[in-house]
Amino acid sequence: MLPQRRSLADYRLIVFDMDSTLINVECIDELAACVGRAAEVAALTDAAMRDPSIPYDDSLRARVRCLRGLPLADVHRTYEQRVAFNPGARELVAHARGLGLRTALVSGGFAEFAEPVRQALGIDYMVCNRLQAADGLLTGELVGTLINAREKANALQALCDQLHCPTADAIAVGDGSNDLGMMALAGVAVGYRAKPVVRQRAHVLIDHGSLQRLASMLGGQAASGRGTESR
């Protein structure tokens, strides 16, 4: 169940995960394919999902090391050739902005993908991981704070503090376990094509079709088509 039935216009902030939420791919999988290490990265991801004792930070750093030597030009080319926005992403962000909400992209993905996504959608704030490069090649390391579930939650809290609003006035949209912290803080947690662990905790699920259905759900109107429900 939604904590309180409110319209989208009653909220102050909407925070989006990026990979498989705003966009159709997982950044690191696409980049790993460029260096012929997609299977290795997939195995590392699968191991971390199956074994909770493997720290997320260690797993991510191991996967990023697989990208060592990839030219930045190929990173940018991969974005241009492989990334598409999920249905309704543009429309939902534009609608939220039109209603006066501030928008944020908070992602464990990489700035080389996140920045063009932010610009294309007109998103106000961005928090993401940053790949280190030297002489035009990825070093296989990250720069600065590693963005994990804790940092995603911290980002939502910091944005609410900046906007002088309670976290109950924020909406968090995501699909995976790294989104659970910020979802727990937000007034509304939205699972978009969500993993089972997110499905158990989300207030709203969008399983098929357009992200824009969220506007109908929070407007108190019947959502058209299959795949949207509230809890």
Side-chain angles (χ1 to χ4, degrees):
M1 295 289 293
L2 289 169
Q4 181 181 358
R5 177 63 71 176
R6 302 165 66 186
S7 71
L8 184 60
D10 292 329
Y11 293 88
R12 298 282 306 282
L13 172 70
I14 184 165
V15 176
F16 296 94
D17 172 50
M18 180 176 70
D19 293 20
S20 300
T21 300
L22 285 175
I23 64 175
N24 64 325
V25 298
E26 296 286 326
C27 295
I28 197 160
D29 293 345
E30 298 301 321
L31 296 178
C34 291
V35 290
R37 301 184 74 175
E40 184 176 350
V41 166
L44 288 167
T45 301
D46 185 64
M49 291 179 66
R50 291 175 181 274
D51 184 354
S53 70
I54 299 175
Y56 172 82
D57 293 16
D58 293 350
S59 172
L60 179 60
R61 291 189 188 280
R63 285 175 278 161
V64 170
R65 283 194 290 271
C66 293
L67 306 180
R68 183 176 180 179
L70 180 64
L72 275 174
D74 287 351
V75 176
H76 300 311
R77 186 178 303 111
T78 299
Y79 175 83
E80 294 294 334
Q81 294 179 351
R82 299 293 299 165
V83 172
F85 292 111
N86 277 328
R90 288 182 182 275
E91 292 81 1
L92 178 57
V93 173
H95 185 58
R97 286 173 55 85
L99 293 173
L101 281 76
R102 304 310 295 267
T103 56
L105 185 164
V106 177
S107 173
F110 307 125
E112 289 75 12
F113 284 38
E115 180 57 27
V117 168
R118 186 195 69 77
Q119 291 184 17
L121 298 183
I123 289 175
D124 299 305
Y125 308 104
M126 182 182 81
V127 176
C128 63
N129 283 308
R130 297 181 180 274
L131 296 167
Q132 185 183 72
D135 300 322
L137 304 175
L138 297 187
T139 67
E141 303 296 334
L142 295 170
V143 178
T145 301
L146 188 151
I147 305 304
N148 53 23
R150 181 183 64 255
E151 292 301 328
K152 282 191 165 192
N154 288 344
L156 186 145
Q157 181 68 66
L159 287 169
C160 286
D161 292 345
Q162 182 177 333
L163 295 171
H164 304 290
C165 72
T167 59
D169 286 348
I171 299 167
V173 186
D175 72 308
S177 58
N178 263 10
D179 300 315
L180 291 175
M182 68 177 187
M183 287 180 161
L185 284 177
V188 174
V190 181
Y192 180 70
R193 301 178 182 176
K195 307 296 190 300
V197 66
V198 173
R199 296 182 64 82
Q200 295 170 11
R201 304 188 194 184
H203 301 120
V204 175
L205 295 172
I206 303 175
D207 292 330
H208 305 279
S210 173
L211 277 163
Q212 175 66 352
R213 292 181 179 183
L214 179 62
S216 297
M217 288 299 300
L218 295 185
Q221 303 167 6
S224 60
R226 179 169 168 254
T228 306
E229 58 181 294
S230 61
R231 297 186 165 200

